[in-house]
Amino acid sequence: MAKKLGPPIFLGVFTVLAIIFLTGGASDDKDTLRQTFQVDAVYYDTGHVEISFFDKSQKTTNVVMEILGMDETFQKTFSDSEFIEIVPFPNEPKYGWAIHPIVLEIDHEELGHIQLKTEIHPLGESIPTVIYSTP
Protein backbone atom coordinates (compact mmCIF):
# COMPACT_ATOMS: atom_id res chain seq x y z
CA MET A 1 0.00 0.00 0.00
CA ALA A 2 1.46 3.37 -1.05
CA LYS A 3 1.85 6.12 1.53
CA LYS A 4 0.26 9.49 0.88
CA LEU A 5 2.96 12.15 0.59
CA GLY A 6 0.63 15.13 0.13
CA PRO A 7 0.26 16.22 3.78
CA PRO A 8 3.99 15.92 4.70
CA ILE A 9 5.04 17.81 1.56
CA PHE A 10 2.45 20.52 2.22
CA LEU A 11 3.64 20.82 5.83
CA GLY A 12 7.27 21.10 4.71
CA VAL A 13 6.51 23.78 2.11
CA PHE A 14 4.32 25.67 4.59
CA THR A 15 7.13 25.59 7.19
CA VAL A 16 9.72 26.91 4.72
CA LEU A 17 7.39 29.72 3.60
CA ALA A 18 6.62 30.63 7.22
CA ILE A 19 10.35 30.84 8.03
CA ILE A 20 10.99 33.02 4.99
CA PHE A 21 8.09 35.30 5.90
CA LEU A 22 9.08 35.61 9.58
CA THR A 23 12.77 36.27 8.88
CA GLY A 24 12.11 38.82 6.16
CA GLY A 25 12.82 36.63 3.14
CA ALA A 26 15.92 36.66 0.99
CA SER A 27 16.30 40.45 1.02
CA ASP A 28 16.64 41.51 4.63
CA ASP A 29 15.34 45.07 5.08
CA LYS A 30 16.73 45.09 8.64
CA ASP A 31 20.35 45.16 7.41
CA THR A 32 20.44 48.96 7.64
CA LEU A 33 19.29 48.79 11.25
CA ARG A 34 21.82 46.06 12.12
CA GLN A 35 24.62 48.10 10.57
CA THR A 36 23.56 51.34 12.26
CA PHE A 37 22.78 50.29 15.85
CA GLN A 38 24.76 48.29 18.39
CA VAL A 39 23.27 47.27 21.73
CA ASP A 40 24.59 44.94 24.41
CA ALA A 41 23.54 44.07 27.97
CA VAL A 42 26.14 42.24 30.07
CA TYR A 43 25.60 40.82 33.56
CA TYR A 44 28.64 40.94 35.84
CA ASP A 45 29.05 38.69 38.91
CA THR A 46 29.49 41.84 40.99
CA GLY A 47 25.70 42.25 40.82
CA HIS A 48 25.07 44.69 38.00
CA VAL A 49 24.16 44.85 34.32
CA GLU A 50 26.00 47.14 31.91
CA ILE A 51 23.81 48.21 29.00
CA SER A 52 25.53 49.91 26.08
CA PHE A 53 24.01 51.54 23.00
CA PHE A 54 25.81 53.02 20.00
CA ASP A 55 24.40 54.61 16.83
CA LYS A 56 27.13 54.59 14.16
CA SER A 57 25.32 57.29 12.17
CA GLN A 58 25.19 59.64 15.20
CA LYS A 59 21.65 60.68 14.20
CA THR A 60 19.71 59.37 17.19
CA THR A 61 17.81 62.17 18.91
CA ASN A 62 16.11 60.25 21.73
CA VAL A 63 16.21 56.77 23.30
CA VAL A 64 13.85 55.39 25.92
CA MET A 65 15.30 52.25 27.53
CA GLU A 66 13.23 49.82 29.58
CA ILE A 67 14.13 46.65 31.44
CA LEU A 68 10.96 44.59 31.71
CA GLY A 69 10.05 41.82 34.14
CA MET A 70 11.37 43.53 37.26
CA ASP A 71 9.25 44.22 40.36
CA GLU A 72 9.32 47.83 39.23
CA THR A 73 10.10 48.35 35.53
CA PHE A 74 13.35 50.24 34.99
CA GLN A 75 13.00 53.11 32.51
CA LYS A 76 15.40 55.86 31.52
CA THR A 77 15.53 58.39 28.67
CA PHE A 78 18.70 59.41 26.82
CA SER A 79 19.19 62.20 24.29
CA ASP A 80 22.41 61.05 22.67
CA SER A 81 23.61 58.60 20.02
CA GLU A 82 25.49 56.51 22.57
CA PHE A 83 25.36 55.64 26.24
CA ILE A 84 26.41 53.14 28.87
CA GLU A 85 24.08 52.56 31.80
CA ILE A 86 24.87 50.51 34.91
CA VAL A 87 21.82 48.91 36.57
CA PRO A 88 22.05 47.01 39.89
CA PHE A 89 20.95 43.38 39.53
CA PRO A 90 21.92 41.51 42.72
CA ASN A 91 21.02 37.99 41.51
CA GLU A 92 20.71 36.10 38.27
CA PRO A 93 17.01 35.35 37.62
CA LYS A 94 15.81 31.87 38.55
CA TYR A 95 14.19 31.35 35.13
CA GLY A 96 16.93 32.91 33.00
CA TRP A 97 17.58 36.32 31.50
CA ALA A 98 14.82 36.05 28.89
CA ILE A 99 12.31 37.19 31.52
CA HIS A 100 14.09 40.58 31.67
CA PRO A 101 14.21 41.83 28.05
CA ILE A 102 15.82 45.19 27.27
CA VAL A 103 13.61 47.31 25.01
CA LEU A 104 14.83 50.51 23.32
CA GLU A 105 12.48 53.00 21.67
CA ILE A 106 14.67 55.09 19.34
CA ASP A 107 13.93 58.29 17.45
CA HIS A 108 16.33 58.69 14.52
CA GLU A 109 16.63 61.68 12.17
CA GLU A 110 16.66 59.56 8.98
CA LEU A 111 15.18 56.18 9.95
CA GLY A 112 12.28 57.45 12.05
CA HIS A 113 11.00 55.50 15.04
CA ILE A 114 12.75 52.17 15.68
CA GLN A 115 12.33 49.57 18.39
CA LEU A 116 15.10 47.22 19.50
CA LYS A 117 14.80 44.28 21.86
CA THR A 118 17.61 42.18 23.31
CA GLU A 119 18.39 40.08 26.36
CA ILE A 120 20.92 40.33 29.12
CA HIS A 121 23.74 37.79 28.98
CA PRO A 122 26.49 36.89 31.46
CA LEU A 123 30.01 38.16 30.77
CA GLY A 124 31.83 35.81 28.41
CA GLU A 125 28.71 34.42 26.75
CA SER A 126 27.68 35.32 23.21
CA ILE A 127 25.46 38.34 22.52
CA PRO A 128 21.81 37.30 22.06
CA THR A 129 19.94 38.13 18.89
CA VAL A 130 18.68 41.70 18.64
CA ILE A 131 15.14 42.08 17.30
CA TYR A 132 14.55 45.21 15.19
CA SER A 133 11.14 46.68 14.51
CA THR A 134 9.82 49.72 12.68
CA PRO A 135 6.18 50.47 13.54
Side-chain angles (χ1 to χ4, degrees):
M1 183 172 183
K3 293 184 179 181
K4 292 185 179 183
L5 296 177
I9 291 173
F10 172 76
L11 182 60
V13 169
F14 178 77
T15 302
V16 169
L17 291 175
I19 290 171
I20 289 172
F21 175 74
L22 292 173
T23 60
S27 62
D28 193 354
D29 60 344
K30 305 294 186 207
D31 277 346
T32 301
L33 299 177
R34 283 188 195 94
Q35 293 171 3
T36 304
F37 301 107
Q38 293 178 344
V39 63
D40 195 12
V42 181
Y43 174 74
Y44 291 88
D45 291 337
T46 54
H48 70 277
V49 173
E50 180 182 279
I51 302 163
S52 59
F53 170 79
F54 179 63
D55 169 9
K56 293 178 185 177
S57 72
Q58 297 292 306
K59 294 183 180 179
T60 293
T61 57
N62 189 52
V63 180
V64 177
M65 178 184 75
E66 286 187 281
I67 304 174
L68 305 176
M70 301 172 75
D71 290 336
E72 188 173 318
T73 298
F74 179 89
Q75 183 178 38
K76 189 165 184 179
T77 302
F78 303 89
S79 57
D80 201 357
S81 291
E82 63 182 292
F83 63 81
I84 295 176
E85 181 68 21
I86 307 294
V87 179
F89 240 104
N91 301 314
E92 290 189 49
K94 180 178 180 179
Y95 299 107
W97 288 110
I99 64 169
H100 297 294
I102 309 291
V103 178
L104 302 176
E105 298 275 341
I106 303 164
D107 290 320
H108 191 272
E109 290 175 11
E110 291 179 357
L111 301 172
H113 187 77
I114 297 117
Q115 297 170 332
L116 295 155
K117 179 182 171 235
T118 192
E119 294 177 7
I120 299 167
H121 65 93
L123 179 65
E125 290 188 12
S126 60
I127 298 173
T129 302
V130 177
I131 299 171
Y132 299 87
S133 173
T134 52

